[in-house]
Amino acid sequence: VQPPEKPLQAEEWNKLREDFQSPEIFEEVMLNSMIRCNSPIDVAKSLLTHLAKRNGDIAYNMLVKYLTLCVQQGQVSEILDVYDIMKVRFKILESGAYSLLIRGLSNSNQWRMALTVLEEVKKIMIPSRRCYESCIEAASRHQEMKLAFELYSEMLAKDVVPTLHVLQSFFDFSRGMKDAELQKELFGILLYLRENQIYPHRTFMRSIKLWFESLPGGNWRGRLTKIKDSGQCPVCNHQLEDSNLTEEEYSHLSERIMKDVIHGTDTFRKTSPEELEAFQTFVENRLPFDIVIDGLNVSHIKSRKMQCENLFDAINYLAKENARLLVLGRKHMLMNSSNWKKEIMKEMQNKADFFFAENISEDDPFLLYATLRSGKHCRFVSRDFLRDHKACLSDSLTRHLFRKWQRGHQIFSLCFSQQPAFCYDCVVQTTGDTWHIPYKDVFEEKYSYQVPRKWLCIHQK
């Protein structure tokens, strides 16, 4: 449907509706078309007026479509009018409408109204990321950084994950401001990147660099570099943090994983206490292992190959240096089938210890148990990120240690082009007068296990 270029009278709308093949959805299709063509507001308004006269009122979804067009064009007074109508007619709106209202208002001179709407939303639901970020960007644009950071803290407290875009905007809008409190907040964002092992992309990294260099009297200088294999930064000669845990950290982590993950509430949903006990006995009698392999996970590496061949290749590759291997399998692997050939299984069992769990069991707790019990040298092979288990850990220190241990001990077995485990830790780090920030060239939405080789070194001259 091609929308008209000017407002129409009732009979003209009726005529168009009659000529349309499905008259019952004519208005909906017409409004969608107006949004797509960015039609003038008065044309859309004449359709709504016609609808209101014909039906006595305007349906909720029609108002939302009209609101979309108003937001698209920044028609502030219309946005406020629609909000007034909706408030009277519907006690509660759904999150999409609130998100539109907040976005429309936050981009206008009435941006404080967006905060009022956000307060309304909070009474009935946790506001979406979009709602929070529209308000944060509006506050930042108007140099109200304290307010922007209050909203950011509130967002994190409600487990709403910020986009890299909004984190970058904090650095962009704070450039050149001399304010110790604000500085502390921005350092907090860098520590958030560290805590969550997030690697900024190139444009975000540039914003961080420019912010540091703009600090009045700060004498900060940023340089792009590659860290030496020894872990030394060629720019400032600083030695990066060691990727290994100390004895104390390692035993703390082992204890917490045993307590929170393995004996925590989540394990027995997928495995029985008897099976876990049998596994622990099995492991204790054969310790220590050098590498623990998530058999099922590895068997899916190459889709064109048989599952047992994939696993066989992995075992052959990893057994080269007489490493002691433990493979976590499932009982169905022992049934001769098109994917699991008996003779190949037999050959594998000559090269590695196998533990076959029930088919409904969860592998990860077993994987963590066997690896940690084997000692600090033991590594594990899996393409899973083990996010759920990090979430089970009850405090941020343990979560940080878990990620650090994982970075140094997990082999992501894609075609076995293993990345060597670095002796330094690939996360944002600081000594106070230096910051080292690993970054990627491009933005990645997904969590990535490819550790960046590029770093930004920021130090005080």
Side-chain angles (χ1 to χ4, degrees):
V1 180
Q2 197 53 39
E5 285 171 18
K6 56 183 197 345
L8 301 184
Q9 297 301 320
E11 55 276 14
E12 294 173 292
W13 281 120
N14 282 334
K15 173 87 177 74
L16 280 178
R17 187 173 194 266
E18 281 159 22
D19 295 344
F20 188 65
Q21 58 201 29
S22 312
E24 69 284 357
I25 57 164
F26 167 73
E27 285 82 6
E28 196 172 331
V29 173
M30 179 57 80
L31 273 169
N32 283 340
S33 186
M34 288 180 184
I35 293 168
R36 209 170 43 249
C37 303
N38 205 20
S39 297
I41 282 294
D42 55 353
V43 177
K45 215 170 181 176
S46 82
L47 176 61
L48 287 197
T49 310
H50 165 63
L51 252 178
K53 282 181 184 160
R54 198 186 71 215
N55 300 345
D57 65 7
I58 301 165
Y60 179 85
N61 66 328
M62 294 296 167
L63 282 170
V64 172
K65 286 183 195 302
Y66 179 63
L67 179 60
T68 306
L69 189 63
C70 297
V71 169
Q72 202 165 284
Q73 299 183 9
Q75 303 272 358
V76 185
S77 59
E78 287 298 315
I79 293 171
L80 290 169
D81 286 351
V82 175
Y83 183 38
D84 287 339
I85 293 168
M86 289 178 113
K87 265 194 306 197
V88 173
R89 292 227 0 239
F90 315 102
K91 287 289 163 267
I92 291 177
L93 314 183
E94 38 74 60
S95 66
Y98 283 126
S99 182
L100 272 172
L101 284 163
I102 288 174
R103 196 167 94 230
L105 294 168
S106 64
N107 285 326
S108 74
N109 57 358
Q110 297 283 329
W111 67 276
R112 286 189 185 279
M113 270 295 292
L115 299 172
T116 311
V117 179
L118 186 69
E119 287 307 313
E120 287 299 306
V121 178
K122 281 190 227 169
K123 290 175 191 163
I124 46 178
M125 62 178 97
I126 291 179
S128 68
R129 169 158 84 182
R130 194 83 189 257
C131 290
Y132 270 119
E133 295 199 343
S134 296
C135 292
I136 287 172
E137 285 177 1
S140 303
R141 258 198 313 277
H142 293 85
Q143 301 288 287
E144 299 229 7
M145 299 312 294
K146 191 168 183 293
L147 171 60
F149 271 108
E150 278 167 14
L151 291 166
Y152 166 69
S153 304
E154 193 180 289
M155 193 178 170
L156 291 185
K158 291 185 171 157
D159 286 330
V160 181
V161 178
T163 59
L164 292 193
H165 177 75
V166 86
L167 297 181
Q168 181 183 335
S169 75
F170 278 117
F171 289 91
D172 289 337
F173 287 117
S174 305
R175 221 171 276 170
M177 289 188 189
K178 192 176 172 67
D179 177 342
E181 203 45 51
L182 178 64
Q183 232 178 72
K184 215 165 94 188
E185 294 282 14
L186 286 150
F187 288 159
I189 291 181
L190 294 175
L191 295 174
Y192 172 82
L193 298 181
R194 171 189 170 89
E195 171 79 26
N196 293 283
Q197 197 182 330
I198 294 167
Y199 303 124
H201 47 79
R202 183 178 281 276
T203 48
F204 184 5
M205 174 277 295
R206 285 195 64 76
S207 294
I208 295 170
K209 178 179 183 291
L210 291 170
W211 173 73
F212 268 103
E213 292 175 342
S214 78
L215 288 174
N219 289 329
W220 289 98
R221 172 125 190 257
R223 294 266 303 277
L224 308 186
T225 187
K226 282 189 175 176
I227 302 297
K228 294 176 185 172
D229 288 345
S230 63
Q232 191 185 42
C233 170
V235 177
C236 65
N237 295 324
H238 176 72
Q239 185 67 31
L240 292 197
E241 287 173 40
D242 192 334
S243 63
N244 291 319
L245 302 188
T246 64
E247 291 297 338
E248 200 178 318
E249 288 173 332
Y250 186 78
S251 64
H252 170 85
L253 179 66
S254 299
E255 267 169 44
R256 293 317 304 226
I257 284 188
M258 297 296 166
K259 189 167 178 294
D260 294 349
V261 178
I262 293 167
H263 296 291
T265 48
D266 74 331
T267 316
F268 298 139
R269 267 187 259 150
K270 303 272 177 70
T271 180
S272 66
E274 295 76 30
E275 184 177 49
L276 188 64
E277 203 174 310
F279 175 69
Q280 287 173 312
T281 309
F282 174 91
V283 169
E284 296 301 323
N285 290 336
R286 289 166 179 78
L287 283 174
F289 297 102
D290 298 314
I291 299 174
V292 182
I293 301 167
D294 182 341
L296 203 56
N297 185 290
V298 169
S299 72
H300 289 287
I301 284 178
K302 291 182 181 167
S303 52
R304 290 188 300 280
K305 275 192 164 183
M306 253 194 298
Q307 288 176 22
C308 62
E309 282 182 337
N310 278 328
L311 185 54
F312 190 46
D313 290 348
I315 289 173
N316 279 337
Y317 179 84
L318 294 164
K320 274 180 201 158
E321 285 130 38
N322 295 325
R324 293 206 54 223
L325 309 180
L326 168 62
V327 181
L328 300 175
R330 299 289 176 88
K331 289 195 171 158
H332 74 257
M333 294 177 178
L334 294 167
M335 318 279 282
N336 199 17
S337 67
S338 59
N339 258 316
W340 298 99
K341 296 281 176 242
K342 218 170 196 156
E343 58 279 12
I344 298 181
M345 285 303 293
K346 208 168 181 145
E347 207 174 325
M348 284 196 265
Q349 284 169 276
N350 292 332
K351 299 188 175 204
D353 281 303
F354 270 76
F355 182 85
F356 295 98
E358 292 295 339
N359 295 325
I360 52 161
S361 296
E362 173 69 76
D363 290 336
D364 296 349
F366 291 167
L367 190 75
L368 293 173
Y369 179 85
T371 310
L372 286 162
R373 282 294 293 129
S374 292
K376 280 168 76 172
H377 74 289
C378 184
R379 295 193 294 162
F380 66 95
V381 183
S382 173
R383 293 181 301 160
D384 281 352
F385 291 122
L386 309 182
R387 277 211 193 86
D388 298 351
H389 304 296
K390 180 186 169 228
C392 293
L393 297 166
S394 47
D395 61 284
S396 63
L397 168 71
T398 312
R399 285 195 292 272
H400 168 71
L401 291 178
F402 178 68
R403 273 275 178 252
K404 185 172 177 175
W405 173 78
Q406 187 184 2
R407 282 193 294 275
H409 291 78
Q410 184 162 5
I411 300 169
F412 290 95
S413 52
L414 296 169
C415 317
F416 312 117
S417 56
Q418 287 162 255
Q419 268 195 303
F422 295 117
C423 68
Y424 56 90
D425 200 10
C426 285
V427 280
V428 172
Q429 37 190 281
T430 180
T431 59
D433 57 357
T434 68
W435 282 87
H436 288 89
I437 299 166
Y439 70 92
K440 294 277 177 105
D441 274 332
V442 290
F443 169 67
E444 284 173 356
E445 181 65 68
K446 280 198 174 74
Y447 181 85
S448 168
Y449 50 79
Q450 285 287 334
V451 175
R453 303 303 306 260
K454 297 180 173 182
W455 289 72
L456 168 65
C457 161
I458 299 171
H459 60 284
Q460 283 187 305
K461 287 185 275 191

